[in-house]
Short mmCIF file of all heavy atoms in Angstrom, two decimals:
data_model
loop_
_atom_site.label_atom_id
_atom_site.label_comp_id
_atom_site.label_asym_id
_atom_site.label_seq_id
_atom_site.Cartn_x
_atom_site.Cartn_y
_atom_site.Cartn_z
N THR A 93 6.67 -7.53 0.32
CA THR A 93 5.71 -7.26 1.39
C THR A 93 5.40 -8.55 2.15
O THR A 93 5.67 -9.66 1.67
CB THR A 93 4.39 -6.70 0.84
OG1 THR A 93 3.73 -7.73 0.08
CG2 THR A 93 4.61 -5.46 -0.02
N ALA A 95 2.57 -9.81 2.56
CA ALA A 95 1.61 -10.58 1.77
C ALA A 95 2.33 -11.44 0.73
O ALA A 95 1.94 -12.59 0.49
CB ALA A 95 0.61 -9.65 1.09
N GLU A 96 3.37 -10.89 0.12
CA GLU A 96 4.12 -11.65 -0.88
C GLU A 96 4.87 -12.82 -0.25
O GLU A 96 5.11 -13.84 -0.90
CB GLU A 96 5.09 -10.73 -1.62
CG GLU A 96 4.37 -9.73 -2.51
CD GLU A 96 5.27 -8.63 -3.03
OE1 GLU A 96 6.03 -8.03 -2.24
OE2 GLU A 96 5.20 -8.37 -4.25
N LYS A 99 1.53 -15.41 1.12
CA LYS A 99 0.62 -15.97 0.12
C LYS A 99 1.11 -17.33 -0.41
O LYS A 99 0.32 -18.28 -0.48
CB LYS A 99 0.41 -14.97 -1.01
CG LYS A 99 -0.67 -15.37 -1.99
CD LYS A 99 -0.88 -14.26 -3.01
CE LYS A 99 -1.85 -14.68 -4.08
NZ LYS A 99 -2.01 -13.63 -5.08
N THR A 105 -4.68 -13.36 1.91
CA THR A 105 -4.15 -12.02 2.12
C THR A 105 -5.17 -10.97 1.71
O THR A 105 -5.91 -11.16 0.75
CB THR A 105 -2.85 -11.81 1.33
OG1 THR A 105 -3.11 -12.02 -0.06
CG2 THR A 105 -1.75 -12.77 1.79
N GLY A 106 -5.22 -9.88 2.45
CA GLY A 106 -6.15 -8.80 2.13
C GLY A 106 -5.62 -7.46 2.60
O GLY A 106 -4.87 -7.37 3.57
N ALA A 107 -6.00 -6.42 1.89
CA ALA A 107 -5.65 -5.04 2.25
C ALA A 107 -6.93 -4.23 2.28
O ALA A 107 -7.68 -4.23 1.29
CB ALA A 107 -4.66 -4.45 1.26
N TRP A 111 -4.49 3.05 0.77
CA TRP A 111 -3.27 2.50 0.17
C TRP A 111 -2.42 3.67 -0.28
O TRP A 111 -2.61 4.24 -1.33
CB TRP A 111 -3.62 1.60 -1.02
CG TRP A 111 -2.42 0.94 -1.61
CD1 TRP A 111 -1.74 1.36 -2.72
CD2 TRP A 111 -1.78 -0.24 -1.15
NE1 TRP A 111 -0.70 0.51 -2.98
CE2 TRP A 111 -0.70 -0.49 -2.02
CE3 TRP A 111 -1.99 -1.11 -0.08
CZ2 TRP A 111 0.15 -1.58 -1.86
CZ3 TRP A 111 -1.16 -2.19 0.07
CH2 TRP A 111 -0.10 -2.42 -0.81
N ALA A 116 0.34 3.25 -9.41
CA ALA A 116 0.64 2.53 -10.65
C ALA A 116 0.27 1.06 -10.50
O ALA A 116 0.25 0.52 -9.38
CB ALA A 116 2.13 2.66 -10.99
N ASP A 117 -0.05 0.40 -11.60
CA ASP A 117 -0.47 -1.00 -11.55
C ASP A 117 0.53 -1.88 -10.81
O ASP A 117 0.15 -2.76 -10.05
CB ASP A 117 -0.71 -1.54 -12.95
CG ASP A 117 -1.96 -0.96 -13.59
OD1 ASP A 117 -2.83 -0.44 -12.86
OD2 ASP A 117 -2.07 -1.03 -14.82
N GLU A 118 1.82 -1.66 -11.02
CA GLU A 118 2.84 -2.49 -10.37
C GLU A 118 2.97 -2.21 -8.87
O GLU A 118 3.66 -2.93 -8.17
CB GLU A 118 4.20 -2.36 -11.07
CG GLU A 118 4.85 -1.01 -10.95
CD GLU A 118 4.46 -0.03 -12.05
OE1 GLU A 118 3.55 -0.33 -12.84
OE2 GLU A 118 5.06 1.04 -12.10
N GLN A 119 2.32 -1.14 -8.40
CA GLN A 119 2.35 -0.80 -6.98
C GLN A 119 1.01 -1.07 -6.29
O GLN A 119 0.87 -0.82 -5.11
CB GLN A 119 2.72 0.68 -6.80
CG GLN A 119 4.08 0.99 -7.33
CD GLN A 119 4.28 2.47 -7.56
OE1 GLN A 119 3.34 3.23 -7.73
NE2 GLN A 119 5.53 2.89 -7.58
N SER A 120 0.05 -1.60 -7.01
CA SER A 120 -1.28 -1.83 -6.45
C SER A 120 -1.25 -2.95 -5.41
O SER A 120 -0.31 -3.76 -5.39
CB SER A 120 -2.26 -2.20 -7.56
OG SER A 120 -2.00 -3.51 -8.01
N PRO A 121 -2.25 -3.01 -4.55
CA PRO A 121 -2.29 -4.09 -3.56
C PRO A 121 -2.25 -5.48 -4.20
O PRO A 121 -1.58 -6.38 -3.69
CB PRO A 121 -3.62 -3.87 -2.83
CG PRO A 121 -3.92 -2.42 -3.01
CD PRO A 121 -3.36 -2.07 -4.36
N HIS A 122 -2.93 -5.66 -5.33
CA HIS A 122 -2.92 -6.97 -6.00
C HIS A 122 -1.53 -7.32 -6.49
O HIS A 122 -1.10 -8.47 -6.37
CB HIS A 122 -3.92 -7.00 -7.16
CG HIS A 122 -5.33 -7.00 -6.70
ND1 HIS A 122 -6.01 -8.13 -6.36
CD2 HIS A 122 -6.19 -5.98 -6.49
CE1 HIS A 122 -7.23 -7.83 -5.98
NE2 HIS A 122 -7.36 -6.51 -6.05
N ALA A 123 -0.81 -6.36 -7.01
CA ALA A 123 0.55 -6.60 -7.49
C ALA A 123 1.51 -6.87 -6.33
O ALA A 123 2.56 -7.46 -6.53
CB ALA A 123 1.05 -5.42 -8.31
N ARG A 124 1.13 -6.42 -5.12
CA ARG A 124 1.99 -6.59 -3.95
C ARG A 124 1.60 -7.79 -3.10
O ARG A 124 2.00 -7.93 -1.96
CB ARG A 124 1.96 -5.32 -3.08
CG ARG A 124 2.37 -4.03 -3.79
CD ARG A 124 3.57 -4.17 -4.72
NE ARG A 124 4.69 -4.85 -4.14
CZ ARG A 124 5.83 -4.30 -3.81
NH1 ARG A 124 6.03 -3.04 -4.03
NH2 ARG A 124 6.79 -5.01 -3.28
N GLY A 125 0.77 -8.70 -3.67
CA GLY A 125 0.46 -9.97 -3.01
C GLY A 125 -0.87 -10.06 -2.30
O GLY A 125 -1.19 -11.09 -1.72
N PHE A 126 -1.66 -9.01 -2.33
CA PHE A 126 -2.94 -9.03 -1.64
C PHE A 126 -4.04 -9.54 -2.56
O PHE A 126 -4.26 -8.99 -3.64
CB PHE A 126 -3.29 -7.64 -1.10
CG PHE A 126 -2.38 -7.19 -0.01
CD1 PHE A 126 -1.31 -6.35 -0.28
CD2 PHE A 126 -2.56 -7.64 1.28
CE1 PHE A 126 -0.45 -5.95 0.73
CE2 PHE A 126 -1.70 -7.25 2.30
CZ PHE A 126 -0.64 -6.40 2.02
N GLU A 127 -4.74 -10.59 -2.14
CA GLU A 127 -5.80 -11.18 -2.96
C GLU A 127 -7.09 -10.37 -2.89
O GLU A 127 -7.72 -10.12 -3.91
CB GLU A 127 -6.09 -12.60 -2.47
CG GLU A 127 -4.91 -13.52 -2.58
CD GLU A 127 -5.14 -14.81 -1.84
OE1 GLU A 127 -5.56 -14.79 -0.67
OE2 GLU A 127 -4.88 -15.85 -2.45
N LYS A 128 -7.51 -10.03 -1.71
CA LYS A 128 -8.75 -9.28 -1.50
C LYS A 128 -8.40 -7.86 -1.09
O LYS A 128 -7.53 -7.65 -0.24
CB LYS A 128 -9.59 -9.91 -0.38
CG LYS A 128 -9.90 -11.36 -0.58
CD LYS A 128 -11.05 -11.54 -1.49
CE LYS A 128 -11.41 -13.02 -1.52
NZ LYS A 128 -12.33 -13.36 -2.52
N THR A 129 -9.07 -6.89 -1.69
CA THR A 129 -8.78 -5.50 -1.33
C THR A 129 -10.06 -4.67 -1.31
O THR A 129 -11.00 -4.93 -2.06
CB THR A 129 -7.79 -4.83 -2.31
OG1 THR A 129 -8.40 -4.75 -3.60
CG2 THR A 129 -6.49 -5.59 -2.41
N PHE A 130 -10.06 -3.70 -0.45
CA PHE A 130 -11.07 -2.64 -0.43
C PHE A 130 -10.29 -1.42 0.01
O PHE A 130 -10.07 -1.19 1.19
CB PHE A 130 -12.21 -2.97 0.54
CG PHE A 130 -13.33 -1.96 0.48
CD1 PHE A 130 -14.17 -1.92 -0.63
CD2 PHE A 130 -13.53 -1.08 1.51
CE1 PHE A 130 -15.21 -1.00 -0.69
CE2 PHE A 130 -14.57 -0.15 1.45
CZ PHE A 130 -15.41 -0.12 0.36
N THR A 131 -9.78 -0.68 -0.95
CA THR A 131 -8.82 0.37 -0.64
C THR A 131 -9.15 1.69 -1.30
O THR A 131 -9.80 1.74 -2.33
CB THR A 131 -7.40 -0.03 -1.10
OG1 THR A 131 -7.43 -0.29 -2.50
CG2 THR A 131 -6.90 -1.25 -0.37
N MET A 133 -7.25 4.36 -3.20
CA MET A 133 -5.96 4.39 -3.88
C MET A 133 -5.35 5.78 -4.01
O MET A 133 -4.16 5.90 -4.22
CB MET A 133 -6.11 3.81 -5.29
CG MET A 133 -6.48 2.34 -5.30
SD MET A 133 -5.20 1.30 -4.58
CE MET A 133 -3.90 1.51 -5.77
N ARG A 145 -11.92 1.51 -4.06
CA ARG A 145 -11.92 0.54 -5.17
C ARG A 145 -12.07 -0.85 -4.55
O ARG A 145 -11.24 -1.28 -3.78
CB ARG A 145 -10.62 0.64 -5.95
CG ARG A 145 -10.59 -0.36 -7.10
CD ARG A 145 -9.54 -0.04 -8.11
NE ARG A 145 -8.22 -0.23 -7.57
CZ ARG A 145 -7.11 0.05 -8.24
NH1 ARG A 145 -7.18 0.54 -9.45
NH2 ARG A 145 -5.93 -0.16 -7.71
N LEU A 146 -13.16 -1.52 -4.90
CA LEU A 146 -13.43 -2.85 -4.40
C LEU A 146 -13.02 -3.88 -5.44
O LEU A 146 -13.44 -3.79 -6.59
CB LEU A 146 -14.93 -2.99 -4.08
CG LEU A 146 -15.41 -4.36 -3.60
CD1 LEU A 146 -14.73 -4.71 -2.28
CD2 LEU A 146 -16.90 -4.36 -3.43
N ALA A 147 -12.20 -4.79 -5.05
CA ALA A 147 -11.78 -5.86 -5.96
C ALA A 147 -11.70 -7.15 -5.18
O ALA A 147 -10.90 -7.28 -4.27
CB ALA A 147 -10.42 -5.52 -6.57
N MET A 148 -12.58 -8.07 -5.51
CA MET A 148 -12.57 -9.35 -4.80
C MET A 148 -12.48 -10.51 -5.74
O MET A 148 -12.75 -10.64 -6.78
CB MET A 148 -13.81 -9.48 -3.94
CG MET A 148 -13.81 -8.48 -2.82
SD MET A 148 -14.78 -9.16 -1.51
CE MET A 148 -14.70 -7.87 -0.35
#
Side-chain angles (χ1 to χ4, degrees):
T93 68
E96 292 168 311
K99 189 175 174 182
T105 59
W111 184 262
D117 289 341
E118 67 271 9
Q119 298 162 337
S120 73
H122 290 274
R124 303 319 311 250
F126 293 98
E127 299 168 311
K128 305 278 186 190
T129 65
F130 186 72
T131 58
M133 295 296 293
R145 179 163 69 183
L146 177 62
M148 294 206 181

